[in-house]
Amino acid sequence: KGTFYEFIAGKFEISRGEAKTMMMEIAFSNQVNDRSMQQKRFTELLPYTSQAIKELKLECKQHEDNLQKKDPKASFNLPIYLQRVEANVVIDIIFASLRTKYKNIITKHDAVYVSKKDKKEVIELIKIMLDEKGIAMAINGTYEGEIVELTSFK
């Protein structure tokens, strides 16, 4: 678990849950401009992050517009883009690299499931892989019987 929502909660004097909701609205709303008061405060607080979100939204919108020339029902927005990035990291990088050595490894959404006995080794390998790719991600491990769920975006 990271500290981003706690940071935002402290700056806006709101709960962590309210901070998470606010960030979801800022990051995933269809608006690309700074209309809401929260968005304006967020932009003042974290101008580079705010600008990066705006640029990603614009790129997603442009990509969606191009897709809709072929298929008017096509959709591509920031949540879809982030899901694809996450899937690439979990499936194409992590799972693809580990599946030959760890026969019982499986994936589900943003998680990799491994046996409890392999947890430490798998976490270290994932950290190395992500570091080599320049990807910063928190890795959380929860136990359920003999299976460990390694999640990233929680």
Side-chain angles (χ1 to χ4, degrees):
K1 178 170 131 176
T3 60
F4 182 70
Y5 296 129
E6 288 79 2
F7 172 78
I8 295 298
K11 293 295 183 180
F12 281 81
E13 298 179 356
I14 56 179
S15 72
R16 183 185 189 281
E18 291 168 324
K20 187 172 182 178
T21 298
M22 183 185 86
M23 288 311 307
M24 294 299 140
E25 289 170 357
I26 288 171
F28 301 130
S29 70
N30 287 330
Q31 298 173 344
V32 179
N33 55 22
D34 300 334
R35 291 185 182 173
S36 75
M37 182 58 81
Q38 290 176 328
Q39 175 67 45
K40 288 178 183 176
R41 285 188 62 205
F42 177 77
T43 299
E44 290 169 4
L45 181 64
L46 297 168
Y48 298 111
T49 303
S50 179
Q51 185 61 35
I53 291 169
K54 275 195 258 181
E55 289 176 14
L56 281 170
K57 285 181 180 183
L58 282 171
E59 285 182 35
C60 289
K61 178 66 176 139
Q62 290 168 349
H63 185 67
E64 182 178 66
D65 291 345
N66 287 335
L67 289 173
Q68 288 178 345
K69 290 176 185 173
K70 295 178 184 173
D71 179 4
K73 294 181 181 180
S75 178
F76 191 86
N77 53 34
L78 187 55
I80 291 171
Y81 172 74
L82 293 175
Q83 287 171 350
R84 288 184 181 175
V85 169
E86 183 178 65
N88 175 267
V89 170
V90 173
I91 295 169
D92 297 341
I93 296 173
I94 295 172
F95 179 72
S97 298
L98 297 175
R99 71 177 175 202
T100 54
K101 183 173 181 179
Y102 303 96
K103 300 298 181 197
N104 294 327
I105 191 170
I106 58 171
T107 63
K108 181 179 178 186
H109 305 294
D110 66 346
V112 175
Y113 293 86
V114 296
S115 64
K116 193 174 179 179
K117 69 178 177 55
D118 296 327
K119 177 188 176 190
K120 286 183 182 180
E121 185 176 345
V122 168
I123 286 175
E124 287 308 310
L125 289 171
I126 290 172
K127 286 179 180 178
I128 291 167
M129 281 184 267
L130 296 178
D131 188 53
E132 287 174 354
K133 300 282 185 186
I135 300 169
M137 225 185 249
I139 301 171
N140 304 309
T142 56
Y143 298 93
E144 192 170 308
E146 290 298 309
I147 301 294
V148 176
E149 176 185 14
L150 302 175
T151 58
S152 52
F153 296 103
K154 292 258 179 191

